[in-house]
Amino acid sequence: MNFPAKLLGNNVVTKASSLLRHGGVSIRHIVFAFALSIALLVLYFNYFRRTGYSFPVDVMHYAPVTPEVWTDRSFQVRDAFLHAYHGYERFAFPNDELRPLSNTSINNFNGWAVTAVDSLDTMHMMGLEQEYKRAMTAVHDTNFTLPTNTRVPFFETVIRQLGGLLSAYALTNDDILRIRADQLGTILAPAFETASGFPKYGVNTIRGTSDGSLVGSLAEIASYQMEYAYLGKITGKKEHVDRATTATRNFFNADLRQHGGMYPMYWNISSGQAKDAHLSVGAASDSAHEYILKQYLMTARKDKANLEMYLRFTSHVLNNLMYISPNRHLLYVTDSKLYRTGNRPTHNFEHLSCFFPGLLALGAHTLPLNNLEEVGLNFTALADDLLPKQKLGYEVLASFDLKDLHLWAAEGLAQTCYLTYADQPTGLGPDIINMLSGGSRPEILWMDAMQDWRTSGGIGPPPGVGDKHPWVGDRTPRNAREREMAYAMRDYYVKNADYQLRPETVESLYILYRVTGDVKWRHRGWDIFQAIEKEAKTPSGYANIDKVDTYDPQQLDVMPSFFLAETLKYLYLLFQEDDLIPLDKWVFNTEAHPFPVFEWTEEEKEAYGVL
């Protein structure tokens, strides 16, 4: 039906109506089109838009690679290890580390041949019998109370030296390794002589006293539980086990209500309570978070306190510290600091944080995240003592498939870690980048994006998870304006352009490959190894690299022991066809030293007071 002209108001409308009728369009058609438009707009803004961001993905193809080629690539990594280790033997052994440009040595970790001891298990895995035999002279000959060692750094000595001895013992059952580990663990014990039982920074091995501030960083006071628990297991000494269980008890009883159940960065060693509100998975915090899950797994998944703390920690990170970058939609994890207006993210993304995707993947692989009731846990009840906002976050997480959520987070984060390498002219990753989020640019929490994605039908990969090509913009901007435009398109600027031969990214690529079987993680690891060969290799070893974001990188006179202990080990395991260290039977410490999964006997439980 057509509306009478008098109802439409005036002659102009009448004429317009007449013209439309002659064109075959009635007022009824207009009303219908208008109503449909309103309905579509309502649907879009209430259900499909929400944040207004879409998350497109790239299509990635990898050429098929035969098992023989991957095995050959693992041998190329082994050759790289031999090149580095032989240079160390020639110019630095029995000192700690090689300076790969000057062909000199440095004793920065006690002068106890840390590169040799740190590399023992890598040599064993690679079948390097002669190198292993020569390195064992350091195990036999080192005097742990040399007068020059007036201040032994507890944290680094535990993860590198004690961890190296324990892992080599686990792989070989050579009793001298157990004996020397027991001696070293005992010599370091004065560090624990504090009111809380948290260790101080260092130990004077001559006087048998501890040394250091009564405020300790999280990583330094809580990255020894695995080593001392396993040391107690193989020696039968309760005092070693007590040191590990004290850390668990302190953290479980700490007041973390204001921190969402996550450990802050600095702690009062006397009281055993948090000292600040800086939350991070990066420097000064990383390995402490890592050990919560790994201590639980190493002791045959019986320690429910560590499991609860792991779930609370990861839940806070998923809800509050993970973001999507505005342009490329890169998933990243950052830290938050307390300002006058409350906690705010820095949007820094550290290379050290790139262990975290591997940890999430390991948890998704080993924990019953979708059926926590079978281990006696109610997921949402873990937030009962937290603030209302944090409780709501748990409800949101619980509405997803928790195992999928953790694995998606792992895949998205690991991809961004890899892209920070692939984006650079050198193919090597900078130590710290700053994501350009917030201010005039959108600041997109990952869980907000996940809810929008689900509401819109869950079409395509989750936000930040789909494959992405490396950035191909202008890497040589000619002025400040072009530089800012390049940063905006890339979504970040490089804050620290050093590549320090770090292992965290390849660690996560290795774990994700073993967990998912997706070959893209192998291909990405191969890209990184080729870049290391091209840019970091020297006539005697491998060097840290400065200015990785330029076409003129600079080698630095540093080859850290963890390059042989971790980086090359994870690359070797990534390319090996055989699963040499199954993740359900072994657990890596933070220096990539594998310890076997074990269970306390009933007698040990009673004697040591463990569950």
Coordinates of all heavy atoms in Angstrom, one line a residue, residues 93-153:
F93 N 89.2 -23.0 28.4 CA 89.1 -24.1 29.4 C 90.4 -24.1 30.3 O 91.5 -23.9 29.8 CB 89.0 -25.5 28.8 CG 88.8 -26.6 29.7 CD1 87.6 -26.9 30.2 CD2 89.9 -27.4 30.1 CE1 87.4 -28.0 31.1 CE2 89.8 -28.4 31.0 CZ 88.5 -28.7 31.5
P94 N 90.3 -24.2 31.6 CA 89.1 -24.5 32.4 C 88.5 -23.3 33.0 O 87.8 -23.4 34.1 CB 89.7 -25.4 33.5 CG 91.1 -24.8 33.8 CD 91.5 -24.3 32.4
N95 N 88.6 -22.1 32.4 CA 87.9 -20.9 32.9 C 86.5 -21.0 32.5 O 86.0 -22.0 31.8 CB 88.6 -19.7 32.3 CG 90.1 -19.6 32.9 OD1 90.3 -19.6 34.1 ND2 91.0 -19.4 32.0
D96 N 85.7 -20.0 32.8 CA 84.3 -20.1 32.6 C 83.8 -20.0 31.2 O 83.1 -20.9 30.7 CB 83.6 -19.0 33.5 CG 83.5 -19.5 35.0 OD1 83.5 -20.7 35.2 OD2 83.4 -18.6 35.8
E97 N 84.1 -18.9 30.5 CA 83.5 -18.7 29.2 C 84.6 -18.1 28.2 O 85.6 -17.5 28.6 CB 82.4 -17.7 29.3 CG 81.2 -18.2 30.0 CD 80.0 -17.3 30.1 OE1 80.2 -16.1 29.8 OE2 78.9 -17.7 30.4
L98 N 84.4 -18.4 27.0 CA 85.2 -17.9 25.9 C 84.8 -16.5 25.5 O 83.6 -16.2 25.4 CB 85.1 -18.9 24.7 CG 85.7 -18.4 23.4 CD1 87.2 -18.4 23.4 CD2 85.2 -19.2 22.2
R99 N 85.8 -15.7 25.2 CA 85.6 -14.4 24.5 C 85.9 -14.7 23.0 O 87.1 -14.8 22.6 CB 86.5 -13.3 25.0 CG 86.1 -12.9 26.5 CD 86.9 -11.6 26.8 NE 86.6 -11.1 28.2 CZ 85.6 -10.3 28.5 NH1 84.7 -10.0 27.6 NH2 85.4 -9.9 29.7
P100 N 84.9 -14.8 22.2 CA 85.0 -15.3 20.8 C 85.6 -14.4 19.8 O 85.9 -14.8 18.7 CB 83.6 -15.7 20.4 CG 82.8 -14.7 21.2 CD 83.4 -14.5 22.5
L101 N 85.9 -13.1 20.1 CA 86.6 -12.2 19.2 C 88.0 -12.1 19.6 O 88.9 -12.1 18.7 CB 85.9 -10.9 19.2 CG 84.4 -10.8 18.8 CD1 83.9 -9.4 18.8 CD2 84.2 -11.5 17.5
S102 N 88.3 -11.9 20.8 CA 89.7 -11.8 21.3 C 90.4 -13.1 21.6 O 91.6 -13.1 21.8 CB 89.8 -10.9 22.5 OG 89.0 -11.5 23.6
N103 N 89.6 -14.2 21.6 CA 90.2 -15.5 21.9 C 90.9 -15.6 23.2 O 92.0 -16.1 23.4 CB 91.1 -16.0 20.8 CG 90.4 -16.3 19.5 OD1 89.2 -16.6 19.4 ND2 91.1 -16.2 18.4
T104 N 90.1 -15.0 24.2 CA 90.6 -15.0 25.6 C 89.5 -15.6 26.4 O 88.4 -16.0 25.9 CB 91.0 -13.6 26.1 OG1 89.8 -12.7 25.9 CG2 92.1 -13.0 25.3
S105 N 89.7 -15.6 27.7 CA 88.7 -16.2 28.6 C 88.2 -15.2 29.7 O 88.9 -14.2 29.9 CB 89.2 -17.5 29.3 OG 90.3 -17.1 30.1
I106 N 87.1 -15.6 30.3 CA 86.6 -14.8 31.4 C 86.1 -15.7 32.5 O 85.5 -16.7 32.2 CB 85.5 -13.8 31.0 CG1 85.1 -12.9 32.1 CG2 84.4 -14.5 30.3 CD1 84.1 -11.8 31.7
N107 N 86.3 -15.3 33.8 CA 85.8 -16.1 34.9 C 84.7 -15.2 35.5 O 84.9 -14.4 36.5 CB 86.9 -16.4 35.9 CG 87.7 -17.6 35.5 OD1 87.2 -18.5 34.9 ND2 89.0 -17.5 35.8
N108 N 83.5 -15.3 35.0 CA 82.4 -14.5 35.5 C 81.4 -15.4 36.4 O 80.4 -14.9 36.9 CB 81.6 -13.9 34.4 CG 81.3 -14.8 33.2 OD1 81.9 -15.9 33.2 ND2 80.6 -14.4 32.3
F109 N 81.7 -16.7 36.5 CA 80.8 -17.6 37.3 C 81.7 -18.5 38.1 O 81.7 -19.7 38.0 CB 79.9 -18.4 36.5 CG 78.8 -17.5 35.8 CD1 78.9 -17.3 34.4 CD2 77.8 -16.9 36.5 CE1 78.0 -16.5 33.8 CE2 76.9 -16.1 35.8 CZ 77.0 -15.9 34.5
N110 N 82.6 -17.9 39.0 CA 83.4 -18.6 40.0 C 84.7 -19.2 39.4 O 85.5 -19.7 40.2 CB 82.5 -19.7 40.6 CG 81.1 -19.3 41.0 OD1 81.0 -18.2 41.5 ND2 80.2 -20.2 40.8
G111 N 84.9 -19.3 38.1 CA 86.1 -19.9 37.6 C 86.0 -21.5 37.7 O 87.1 -22.1 37.8
W112 N 84.9 -22.0 37.7 CA 84.7 -23.5 37.8 C 84.3 -24.1 36.5 O 83.6 -25.1 36.5 CB 83.6 -23.8 38.9 CG 83.9 -23.3 40.3 CD1 85.1 -23.0 40.8 CD2 83.0 -23.2 41.3 NE1 85.0 -22.6 42.1 CE2 83.7 -22.7 42.5 CE3 81.6 -23.3 41.5 CZ2 83.1 -22.5 43.7 CZ3 81.0 -23.1 42.7 CH2 81.8 -22.6 43.8
A113 N 84.9 -23.6 35.4 CA 84.7 -24.2 34.1 C 83.2 -24.3 33.8 O 82.7 -25.4 33.3 CB 85.4 -25.6 34.0
V114 N 82.4 -23.3 33.9 CA 81.0 -23.3 33.8 C 80.6 -23.8 32.4 O 79.6 -24.5 32.3 CB 80.3 -22.0 34.2 CG1 80.6 -20.9 33.2 CG2 78.8 -22.2 34.4
T115 N 81.2 -23.4 31.3 CA 80.8 -23.8 30.0 C 80.9 -25.3 29.8 O 80.1 -25.9 29.2 CB 81.7 -23.1 28.9 OG1 81.4 -21.7 28.9 CG2 81.4 -23.6 27.5
A116 N 82.0 -25.9 30.4 CA 82.1 -27.4 30.3 C 81.0 -28.1 31.1 O 80.4 -29.0 30.6 CB 83.5 -27.8 30.8
V117 N 80.8 -27.7 32.3 CA 79.8 -28.4 33.2 C 78.4 -28.1 32.6 O 77.6 -29.0 32.6 CB 80.0 -27.9 34.6 CG1 78.9 -28.6 35.5 CG2 81.3 -28.3 35.2
D118 N 78.1 -26.9 32.2 CA 76.8 -26.5 31.7 C 76.5 -27.4 30.4 O 75.4 -27.6 30.1 CB 76.8 -25.0 31.3 CG 75.5 -24.4 31.6 OD1 74.6 -25.0 32.1 OD2 75.4 -23.2 31.3
S119 N 77.6 -27.8 29.7 CA 77.4 -28.5 28.4 C 77.5 -30.0 28.5 O 77.3 -30.7 27.5 CB 78.5 -28.0 27.4 OG 78.4 -26.6 27.3
L120 N 77.7 -30.6 29.7 CA 77.8 -32.0 29.8 C 76.7 -32.8 29.2 O 76.9 -33.7 28.4 CB 78.0 -32.4 31.3 CG 79.4 -32.1 31.9 CD1 79.3 -32.3 33.4 CD2 80.5 -33.0 31.3
D121 N 75.4 -32.4 29.5 CA 74.3 -33.2 29.0 C 74.1 -33.0 27.5 O 73.7 -33.9 26.8 CB 73.0 -32.9 29.8 CG 72.7 -31.4 29.9 OD1 73.3 -30.6 29.2 OD2 71.8 -31.1 30.7
T122 N 74.4 -31.8 27.0 CA 74.3 -31.6 25.6 C 75.3 -32.5 24.8 O 74.9 -33.1 23.8 CB 74.7 -30.1 25.2 OG1 73.9 -29.3 26.0 CG2 74.4 -29.9 23.7
M123 N 76.5 -32.6 25.3 CA 77.5 -33.5 24.7 C 77.0 -35.0 24.8 O 77.2 -35.7 23.8 CB 78.8 -33.4 25.4 CG 79.6 -32.1 25.2 SD 81.2 -32.0 26.0 CE 80.9 -30.9 27.3
H124 N 76.5 -35.4 25.9 CA 76.0 -36.7 26.0 C 74.9 -37.0 25.0 O 74.9 -38.1 24.3 CB 75.5 -37.0 27.4 CG 75.0 -38.4 27.7 ND1 75.8 -39.5 27.8 CD2 73.7 -38.9 27.7 CE1 75.1 -40.6 28.0 NE2 73.8 -40.2 27.9
M125 N 73.9 -36.1 24.9 CA 72.8 -36.3 23.9 C 73.3 -36.4 22.5 O 72.8 -37.1 21.7 CB 71.8 -35.1 24.0 CG 71.0 -35.1 25.3 SD 70.0 -33.6 25.4 CE 69.7 -33.4 27.1
M126 N 74.3 -35.6 22.2 CA 74.9 -35.5 20.8 C 75.9 -36.7 20.5 O 76.4 -36.8 19.4 CB 75.6 -34.2 20.6 CG 74.6 -33.0 20.5 SD 75.5 -31.4 20.2 CE 74.1 -30.3 20.0
G127 N 76.2 -37.5 21.6 CA 77.1 -38.6 21.4 C 78.6 -38.1 21.2 O 79.4 -38.8 20.6
L128 N 78.9 -37.0 21.8 CA 80.3 -36.5 21.7 C 81.1 -37.0 22.9 O 81.4 -36.4 23.9 CB 80.3 -35.0 21.7 CG 79.4 -34.4 20.6 CD1 79.3 -32.8 20.8 CD2 79.9 -34.8 19.2
E129 N 81.6 -38.3 22.8 CA 82.2 -39.0 23.9 C 83.5 -38.4 24.3 O 83.8 -38.3 25.5 CB 82.4 -40.5 23.5 CG 81.0 -41.2 23.3 CD 81.2 -42.6 22.9 OE1 82.4 -43.1 22.9 OE2 80.2 -43.3 22.6
Q130 N 84.4 -38.0 23.3 CA 85.7 -37.5 23.6 C 85.6 -36.1 24.3 O 86.3 -35.9 25.3 CB 86.5 -37.4 22.4 CG 86.9 -38.7 21.7 CD 87.5 -39.7 22.7 OE1 88.5 -39.4 23.4 NE2 87.0 -40.9 22.8
E131 N 84.7 -35.3 23.8 CA 84.6 -34.0 24.4 C 84.0 -34.1 25.8 O 84.4 -33.4 26.8 CB 83.6 -33.1 23.6 CG 84.2 -32.6 22.3 CD 84.3 -33.6 21.2 OE1 83.7 -34.7 21.3 OE2 85.0 -33.3 20.2
Y132 N 83.1 -35.0 26.0 CA 82.5 -35.3 27.3 C 83.6 -35.8 28.3 O 83.6 -35.3 29.4 CB 81.4 -36.3 27.2 CG 80.7 -36.7 28.5 CD1 79.6 -35.9 28.9 CD2 81.1 -37.7 29.3 CE1 78.9 -36.2 30.1 CE2 80.5 -38.0 30.5 CZ 79.4 -37.2 30.9 OH 78.8 -37.5 32.1
K133 N 84.4 -36.7 27.8 CA 85.5 -37.2 28.7 C 86.4 -36.1 29.1 O 86.8 -36.1 30.3 CB 86.2 -38.3 27.9 CG 87.3 -39.0 28.8 CD 87.9 -40.1 27.9 CE 89.0 -40.8 28.8 NZ 89.7 -41.9 28.0
R134 N 86.8 -35.2 28.2 CA 87.7 -34.2 28.6 C 87.0 -33.2 29.5 O 87.7 -32.7 30.4 CB 88.2 -33.4 27.3 CG 89.0 -34.3 26.4 CD 89.8 -33.4 25.4 NE 88.9 -32.7 24.4 CZ 88.5 -33.2 23.3 NH1 88.9 -34.4 22.9 NH2 87.7 -32.5 22.5
A135 N 85.7 -32.9 29.3 CA 85.0 -32.0 30.2 C 84.9 -32.5 31.6 O 84.9 -31.8 32.6 CB 83.6 -31.7 29.7
M136 N 84.9 -33.8 31.8 CA 84.7 -34.4 33.1 C 85.9 -34.2 34.0 O 85.9 -34.3 35.2 CB 84.5 -36.0 33.0 CG 83.1 -36.3 32.6 SD 81.9 -35.9 33.9 CE 82.4 -37.0 35.2
T137 N 87.1 -33.8 33.4 CA 88.2 -33.4 34.2 C 87.9 -32.2 35.1 O 88.4 -32.1 36.3 CB 89.5 -33.1 33.4 OG1 89.2 -32.0 32.6 CG2 89.9 -34.3 32.5
A138 N 87.0 -31.3 34.6 CA 86.6 -30.2 35.4 C 85.8 -30.6 36.6 O 85.8 -30.1 37.7 CB 85.9 -29.2 34.6
V139 N 85.0 -31.7 36.4 CA 84.1 -32.2 37.5 C 85.0 -32.8 38.6 O 84.8 -32.6 39.8 CB 83.1 -33.2 36.9 CG1 82.3 -33.9 38.0 CG2 82.2 -32.6 35.9
H140 N 86.0 -33.5 38.1 CA 86.9 -34.2 39.1 C 87.8 -33.1 39.8 O 88.0 -33.3 41.1 CB 87.8 -35.2 38.4 CG 87.1 -36.4 38.0 ND1 87.0 -37.5 38.8 CD2 86.5 -36.7 36.8 CE1 86.3 -38.5 38.2 NE2 86.0 -38.0 37.0
D141 N 88.3 -32.1 39.1 CA 89.3 -31.3 39.7 C 88.9 -30.0 40.4 O 89.7 -29.4 41.1 CB 90.3 -30.9 38.5 CG 91.0 -32.1 37.9 OD1 91.0 -33.2 38.6 OD2 91.5 -32.0 36.8
T142 N 87.7 -29.5 40.1 CA 87.2 -28.2 40.6 C 87.2 -28.2 42.2 O 86.7 -29.1 42.8 CB 85.9 -27.8 40.1 OG1 85.9 -27.7 38.7 CG2 85.4 -26.5 40.7
N143 N 87.8 -27.2 42.7 CA 87.8 -27.0 44.2 C 86.8 -25.9 44.5 O 86.9 -24.7 44.1 CB 89.2 -26.5 44.6 CG 89.2 -26.2 46.1 OD1 88.2 -26.3 46.8 ND2 90.4 -25.8 46.6
F144 N 85.7 -26.3 45.1 CA 84.5 -25.4 45.3 C 84.8 -24.4 46.4 O 83.9 -23.6 46.7 CB 83.3 -26.2 45.7 CG 82.7 -27.0 44.5 CD1 82.3 -28.3 44.7 CD2 82.6 -26.5 43.2 CE1 81.8 -29.1 43.7 CE2 82.1 -27.2 42.2 CZ 81.7 -28.6 42.4
T145 N 86.0 -24.5 47.1 CA 86.3 -23.5 48.1 C 87.6 -22.7 47.8 O 88.3 -22.4 48.7 CB 86.4 -24.2 49.5 OG1 87.4 -25.2 49.4 CG2 85.1 -24.7 49.9
L146 N 87.8 -22.5 46.5 CA 89.0 -21.7 46.1 C 88.9 -20.3 46.8 O 87.9 -19.7 46.8 CB 89.0 -21.5 44.6 CG 89.5 -22.8 43.8 CD1 89.3 -22.5 42.3 CD2 90.9 -23.1 44.1
P147 N 90.0 -19.9 47.3 CA 90.0 -18.6 48.0 C 89.5 -17.4 47.1 O 89.0 -16.4 47.7 CB 91.5 -18.4 48.4 CG 92.1 -19.7 48.4 CD 91.4 -20.5 47.4
T148 N 89.7 -17.5 45.8 CA 89.3 -16.4 45.0 C 87.7 -16.3 44.9 O 87.2 -15.2 44.6 CB 89.8 -16.5 43.6 OG1 89.4 -17.8 43.1 CG2 91.3 -16.5 43.5
N149 N 87.1 -17.3 45.3 CA 85.6 -17.3 45.2 C 85.0 -16.8 46.6 O 84.5 -17.6 47.4 CB 85.1 -18.7 44.9 CG 85.5 -19.1 43.5 OD1 85.4 -18.4 42.6 ND2 86.1 -20.3 43.4
T150 N 85.1 -15.6 46.8 CA 84.6 -15.0 48.0 C 83.1 -14.7 48.0 O 82.5 -14.5 49.0 CB 85.4 -13.7 48.4 OG1 85.2 -12.8 47.3 CG2 86.9 -14.0 48.6
R151 N 82.5 -14.7 46.8 CA 81.1 -14.4 46.7 C 80.6 -15.2 45.5 O 80.7 -14.8 44.4 CB 80.8 -13.0 46.6 CG 79.3 -12.6 46.8 CD 79.1 -11.2 46.4 NE 77.8 -10.7 46.9 CZ 77.2 -9.6 46.5 NH1 77.7 -8.9 45.6 NH2 76.0 -9.3 47.0
V152 N 80.0 -16.4 45.8 CA 79.5 -17.2 44.7 C 78.0 -16.8 44.5 O 77.2 -16.9 45.4 CB 79.6 -18.7 45.1 CG1 78.9 -19.6 44.1 CG2 81.0 -19.1 45.2
P153 N 77.6 -16.4 43.3 CA 76.2 -16.1 43.0 C 75.4 -17.4 43.1 O 75.5 -18.3 42.3 CB 76.3 -15.5 41.6 CG 77.5 -16.1 41.0 CD 78.5 -16.3 42.1

